[in-house]
Amino acid sequence: MKQTRLMMGMPITVEVVDASVTAEAFDRVFAYFGYIDAKFSTYKDTSEISRINRGEITLREASSDMQLIFALAELTRQETDGYFNIRHNGSIDPSGIVKGWAIQNAADLLLDLGYQNFYVDAGGDVQVMGRNAQGESWRLGIGNPFNLQQVVKTFGLSDCGIATSGTYIRGSHIYNPLDAGDPLDEIVSLSVIGPNVYEADRFATAAFAMGRDGIRFIEQLDGFEGYMIDRKGLATLTTGFARYVAVPAEVR
Amino acid sequence: MSMEETRKHFKFMRSARNWGISALAAATIGGYALYQHSAASANALQPIQASAFNVLAQATPESTPGPYIDGDYTGDSVQAGHWGSMQVTVVIENGQIANFKINDYPHSTSTSLRISQIAIPYLMQETIQAQTASIDIVSRATLTSEAFTQSLQSALDDASVGMTATPAPNTTGTAL
């Protein structure tokens, strides 16, 4: 069973292939994303993050989820030497860490319900668990940043997360916190595979802000692989990435 | 690294987080204080504001079966900044959004691309190539540009009232 809904300004797709899956499971997952949107959306005046940004409440007065997100964002800022930062131009936008975290929690929710073979995809960042409907690894493709109708790399994945950061559709939604004027136009797409989508997403965001050095950051990160595409259409792979693509996905 | 090692690593990462340890940073980040500034190019990508956020949120189906009438609906072709136009087809099944297809998207021309002088030693490089293998999922940067959301919204407006569905162009090799 597979469902897509438009939430948080992006398509969120959930597919569960376990025979026991119910429609209620999907409702619970999408309800969770609704809760995340209501709390963390900087586009909503009523959200808790908007209230914090307006100075109506302090972090100390905020919910435990909000405090956790701030703590995770600060940890990520330290781990990435400042390239990840939710503070920008005097306001706070935690979406760079909330998204991966929320996908991860949604996947954990499905695990808690007893499902083993599924994926949760929010706007192109994905947690994949178990096998697809054919009993194989989930077949992933990296979107071509120059042509939305194409994928440029395909491989099988299971029990891990993949996230892609880029400038190509959304515009420069990622900036370099250490140099706000940096156009970051050298690299158009950076995909990161990690132990889960939370880890993959936060490091993809930070590494993208590093420009061309981002792929070397991923290379040095234990347990992560990356695929970076520059403006010329030239891709740079981490050394371990090849093992994901050595065998064509269709014969796995 | 094997999947088992990956899992062990994740356990480490989790415990490191729980204990507030930044060991990972110390082990892996050294040397990244230096940042390579890219010169602003005349062809720098223009940011596209994602201001249609709330419009889409309102369009979200809240219950099953969904509010839409089955069929394929193609939205307006919407100008997407300097990139050209974007047009989205939405597929409605059982009253719900089953899939999206991007019908029209500008291609970047190679002549507009700046040649990089920065080499990355050691890591393998390749020219990207379109793949034909069937896939379950696409990972890409989030599609939340104003053009995307506008085209999608107009397709959903048609789906709400059951306007004549438009046949979607063949988009083999991609899924969203």
Side-chain angles (χ1 to χ4, degrees):
Chain A
M1 194 183 289
K2 177 177 167 182
Q3 270 193 34
T4 296
R5 295 192 196 177
L6 290 171
M7 302 181 79
M8 304 196 280
M10 60 190 171
I12 298 179
T13 299
V14 179
E15 179 169 1
V16 183
V17 299
D18 295 85
S20 57
V21 70
T22 63
E24 192 207 346
F26 287 86
D27 289 343
R28 286 184 61 174
V29 168
F30 288 117
Y32 177 72
F33 281 110
Y35 158 81
I36 293 296
D37 192 25
K39 184 175 289 287
F40 292 103
S41 173
T42 55
Y43 295 85
K44 286 181 160 56
D45 289 342
T46 54
S47 70
E48 192 174 13
I49 189 66
S50 292
R51 295 186 65 206
I52 289 174
N53 274 327
R54 288 195 302 265
E56 293 171 15
I57 55 169
T58 64
L59 183 60
R60 189 182 290 268
E61 295 164 332
S63 64
S64 57
D65 273 355
M66 186 64 73
Q67 293 181 9
L68 175 63
I69 281 296
F70 273 63
L72 295 176
E74 174 57 19
L75 178 68
T76 304
R77 189 187 67 79
Q78 292 173 17
E79 287 175 341
T80 60
D81 229 18
Y83 279 102
F84 184 99
N85 198 333
I86 61 173
R87 295 165 200 274
H88 185 47
N89 284 346
S91 70
I92 298 168
D93 180 359
S95 58
I97 198 138
V98 165
K99 188 175 164 194
W101 176 78
I103 300 168
Q104 182 63 38
N105 288 340
D108 286 346
L109 196 157
L110 289 170
L111 284 175
D112 288 346
L113 291 173
Y115 304 114
Q116 296 176 330
N117 303 286
F118 61 83
Y119 72 82
V120 180
D121 171 357
D125 297 338
V126 195
Q127 177 75 22
V128 291
M129 300 301 297
R131 302 280 166 160
N132 68 8
Q134 289 77 43
E136 303 165 335
S137 298
W138 290 98
R139 291 164 307 189
L140 271 288
I142 291 176
N144 183 351
F146 306 109
N147 183 346
L148 267 178
Q149 300 182 34
Q150 294 178 350
V151 294
V152 296
K153 205 75 187 171
T154 58
F155 42 90
L157 285 183
S158 185
D159 301 336
C160 64
I162 179 168
T164 298
S165 286
T167 55
Y168 52 113
I169 301 294
R170 200 174 181 177
S172 299
H173 73 295
I174 294 174
Y175 64 97
N176 176 0
L178 305 184
D179 179 2
D182 186 339
L184 289 179
D185 59 346
E186 187 66 34
I187 304 305
V188 294
S189 171
L190 175 60
S191 299
V192 173
I193 299 169
N196 63 60
V197 67
Y198 163 73
E199 302 290 359
D201 186 38
R202 68 195 187 112
F203 286 127
T205 304
F208 189 83
M210 297 175 191
R212 202 160 269 281
D213 282 341
I215 193 70
R216 282 191 279 188
F217 174 78
I218 299 301
E219 173 74 7
Q220 295 189 19
L221 213 50
D222 205 13
F224 294 79
E225 302 298 342
Y227 191 86
M228 179 179 84
I229 303 172
D230 72 12
R231 296 194 72 194
K232 295 181 296 179
L234 186 67
T236 307
L237 297 69
T238 55
T239 50
F241 191 90
R243 95 188 148 82
Y244 287 105
V245 294
V247 183
E250 61 264 42
V251 300
R252 278 169 198 256
Chain B
M1 178 182 282
S2 71
M3 230 45 230
E4 183 53 33
E5 287 170 316
T6 303
R7 271 192 284 271
K8 280 183 193 159
H9 174 69
F10 175 43
K11 275 186 189 163
F12 161 74
M13 298 277 289
R14 201 148 48 181
S15 63
R17 247 199 335 275
N18 291 344
W19 292 98
I21 299 166
S22 287
L24 181 72
T28 59
I29 315 294
Y32 275 92
L34 286 176
Y35 183 74
Q36 183 72 49
H37 291 263
S38 341
S41 157
N43 298 312
L45 309 188
Q46 297 301 309
I48 300 167
Q49 299 302 318
S51 59
F53 194 97
N54 289 324
V55 174
L56 270 178
Q58 287 161 12
T60 303
E62 294 295 341
S63 59
T64 51
Y68 303 119
I69 297 163
D70 288 3
D72 292 3
Y73 299 90
T74 298
D76 297 336
S77 184
V78 177
Q79 194 66 24
H82 288 201
W83 289 88
S85 61
M86 174 175 282
Q87 187 177 45
V88 179
T89 293
V90 60
V91 180
I92 305 293
E93 288 173 8
N94 300 320
Q96 301 230 0
I97 303 162
N99 210 346
F100 304 89
K101 293 166 186 166
I102 314 292
N103 308 324
D104 185 13
Y105 191 72
H107 295 224
S108 182
T109 58
S110 59
T111 52
S112 73
L113 302 178
R114 192 159 58 93
I115 304 301
S116 168
Q117 302 299 322
I118 307 163
I120 296 182
Y122 309 123
L123 296 180
M124 200 163 67
Q125 294 193 314
E126 65 185 22
T127 303
I128 60 170
Q129 287 185 321
Q131 305 292 310
T132 54
S134 70
I135 45 167
D136 298 310
I137 313 158
V138 178
S139 181
R140 63 165 103 249
T142 306
L143 295 165
T144 51
S145 78
E146 193 161 2
F148 171 75
T149 51
Q150 280 178 12
S151 184
L152 198 51
Q153 186 61 60
S154 68
L156 288 175
D157 289 345
D158 288 349
S160 302
V161 295
M163 278 181 59
T164 309
T166 331
N170 180 12
T171 52
T172 307
T174 186
L176 225 148

